[in-house]
Amino acid sequence: RLYRLDDPANSATATNPVNITGAGFTSGGYISSIAVNPRNDDTVLVTFSNYGIPSVWWTGNANAASPTWQNVEGNLTIPSFRSSVIAVTNAGVEYFVGTSVGLYKTTINGTSPGLTTWSQEGVFDLGNAIVTSLAYRPVDDKLLVGTHGYGMWSTTLSLSVLPVHYIDF
C-alpha cells in the first residue's frame, strides 16, 4: 500500500494518511522506491522490486482523492527496480530508475504514459551494474548513483551528454 500525508508539518498527531494505492499495484512485490517531482508534488513515480510483475508506476495527480496510476514500465520489463528519481533539468522532467541491470532514463508523456521508452545511461561506465540507490540534488543538477559492489558514481544532469564519474573516497 502507498499512503500520502497532506501537510505533514502542520498535521495533528492523530491525522490519518490517505491511501493512494493504485488499483493496478500488484501483490507479490514491495515498493522499492518513491520519487516525487521536486517542483510538483502531484507527479510521483513508484517502483516495485520483484520479477514478473508490473514494476514502474506513474501518476500526474497524486494529490487527488483517488490518483490515476499508469504502468510506465514500457520497454524495460526484465530487471528488478531498486531506486528512482524525478529530476527537473534544462531538458525538462526526466525520470531515472536504478535496476538490477543498470541505470535507465526516460521522459513520460502525461497523455500517453503507456508508450514510455527507457534508455540506458552510463553504458560504458556503469554498464549493467546493479544500481541500488539514486539521489538527486536540484540546486546543481547533481545525480549520485550508488551501486552494489561497483562504487558510487555522479553526473551533472544539465549537461547535454551525461558523463558518469566514479567517486573515489
Side-chain angles (χ1 to χ4, degrees):
R1 298 201 182 274
L2 181 64
Y3 293 91
R4 175 188 77 228
L5 184 60
D6 296 325
D7 192 15
N10 298 309
S11 294
T13 305
T15 301
N16 289 323
V18 179
N19 184 348
I20 60 169
T21 304
F25 287 11
T26 310
S27 62
Y30 70 90
I31 294 175
S32 56
S33 72
I34 302 167
V36 179
N37 182 323
R39 291 195 190 154
N40 178 3
D41 65 356
D42 236 3
T43 305
V44 177
L45 187 72
V46 174
T47 63
F48 286 79
S49 185
N50 207 347
Y51 297 98
I53 64 170
S55 297
V56 188
W57 296 88
W58 173 89
T59 186
N61 66 342
N63 291 311
S66 296
T68 305
W69 291 94
Q70 300 286 328
N71 180 348
V72 293
E73 205 172 58
N75 63 320
L76 198 57
T77 59
I78 294 178
S80 69
F81 294 82
R82 313 298 175 90
S83 53
S84 61
V85 159
I86 300 174
V88 181
T89 68
N90 295 340
V93 180
E94 298 177 320
Y95 299 82
F96 292 85
V97 290
T99 74
S100 59
V101 293
L103 176 66
Y104 288 82
K105 175 181 88 169
T106 194
T107 56
I108 295 174
N109 180 336
T111 58
S112 55
L115 302 176
T116 302
T117 301
W118 295 89
S119 59
Q120 191 171 12
E121 295 294 317
V123 174
F124 300 110
D125 302 304
L126 288 170
N128 292 334
I130 298 169
V131 176
T132 57
S133 60
L134 296 171
Y136 172 60
R137 190 170 54 201
V139 69
D140 60 358
D141 277 343
K142 186 70 72 175
L143 178 66
L144 299 177
V145 181
T147 68
H148 175 79
Y150 201 52
M152 177 70 94
W153 299 74
S154 73
T155 190
T156 303
L157 298 180
S158 57
L159 302 174
S160 58
V161 175
L162 294 183
V164 181
H165 305 285
Y166 180 73
I167 299 174
D168 188 13
F169 291 101

